[in-house]
Amino acid sequence: QITLKESGPTLVKPTQTLTLTCTFSGFSLSTNGVGVGWIRQPPGKAPEWLALIYWDDDKGFSPSLKSRLAITKDTSKNQVVLTMTNMDPVDTATYFCAHRFFSGNSDYFDYWGQGTLVTVSS
Amino acid sequence: DIQMTQSPSSLSASVGDRVTITCRASQSIIIYLNWYQQKPGKAPKLLIYAASSLQSGVPSRFSGSGSGTDFTLTISSLQPEDFATYYCQQSYSTSRSFGQGTQVDIK
């Protein structure tokens, strides 16, 4: 049974750095092909992919946000941490983490956390 | 970046209707195309992966087709629980991207 859960602040001030933790169970982030991604969704808008970390510690970032993002993993704790610097009110969104499955021509997010709403306001 | 464009943005349909949603990629993504369903306050749920493969546990009234740049999601007979928003997502490039969504509501 794969589960993921996001945790972190619900309110951050403009210019602050956001740190979110994804704690997961039911899989290992050291297994070949596995990854954990972060996706956010502003209220009433479509999901936006942010970042992905792979089993081999390779990483991918949204080109438009790359300069503000960092992603790390702690395999022993089954956690992935996302940091986003210089937060702005437009970054207000629900932030999700998700399990990435890969095999051949199949590459998708099959398990998602419940999401955590982060509001950016002074 | 690969841009994903869905149409229509919204549609109204009745229970039992056949519904088709299209998704177009700005360049070829072969079959690296996934479809998700999202209900209010919930995380997206995977329906279709690799353009046409049905995720385990998803009803067979959902189907996907297409390759290259043009893809479709079809619901053969719309059920009350299918009223939701649907998103396509490409996994061809390192930078994943989603479509803007199609909201399916009750006619």
Side-chain angles (χ1 to χ4, degrees), chain A residues 39 41 44-49 52 54 59-64 96 100 102 104-115, chain B residues 1 31-34 36 38 41-46 48-50 53 55 87 89-91 93-101:
Chain A
I39 302 100
Q41 188 170 30
K45 296 188 177 181
E48 176 186 19
W49 176 78
L52 186 54
Y54 300 89
K59 300 160 189 177
F61 297 98
S62 165
S64 62
F96 297 96
R100 177 253 194 176
F102 172 76
N105 55 20
S106 301
D107 189 338
Y108 49 81
F109 297 115
D110 53 353
Y111 293 92
W112 294 62
Q114 64 191 24
Chain B
D1 288 11
I31 60 166
Y32 286 89
L33 190 283
N34 308 310
Y36 299 86
Q38 188 177 31
K42 300 293 188 182
K45 173 189 173 184
L46 178 69
I48 301 285
Y49 63 91
S53 296
Q55 173 67 346
Y87 297 98
Q89 178 246 330
Q90 64 82 16
S91 54
S93 73
T94 302
S95 175
R96 315 301 165 93
S97 47
F98 289 82
Q100 83 278 17

Side-chain angles (χ1 to χ4, degrees), chain A residues 14 16 41 47 77 82-83 106:
Chain A
Q16 286 187 335
Q41 188 170 30
K77 291 184 178 179
L82 179 79
T83 59
S106 301

Side-chain angles (χ1 to χ4, degrees), chain B residues 3-79:
Chain B
Q3 308 301 318
M4 307 301 294
T5 303
Q6 287 181 236
S7 61
S9 297
S10 64
L11 64 90
S12 296
S14 301
V15 172
D17 283 353
R18 181 182 182 87
V19 169
T20 299
I21 298 168
T22 65
C23 178
R24 174 164 289 176
S26 59
Q27 67 179 74
S28 176
I29 56 171
I30 312 178
I31 60 166
Y32 286 89
L33 190 283
N34 308 310
W35 289 97
Y36 299 86
Q37 176 194 67
Q38 188 177 31
K39 296 182 178 179
K42 300 293 188 182
K45 173 189 173 184
L46 178 69
L47 299 176
I48 301 285
Y49 63 91
S52 61
S53 296
L54 193 67
Q55 173 67 346
S56 176
V58 174
S60 59
R61 62 181 179 272
F62 291 94
S63 64
S65 64
S67 64
T69 60
D70 294 315
F71 302 86
T72 60
L73 172 70
T74 300
I75 309 172
S76 59
S77 177
L78 198 65
Q79 298 301 300

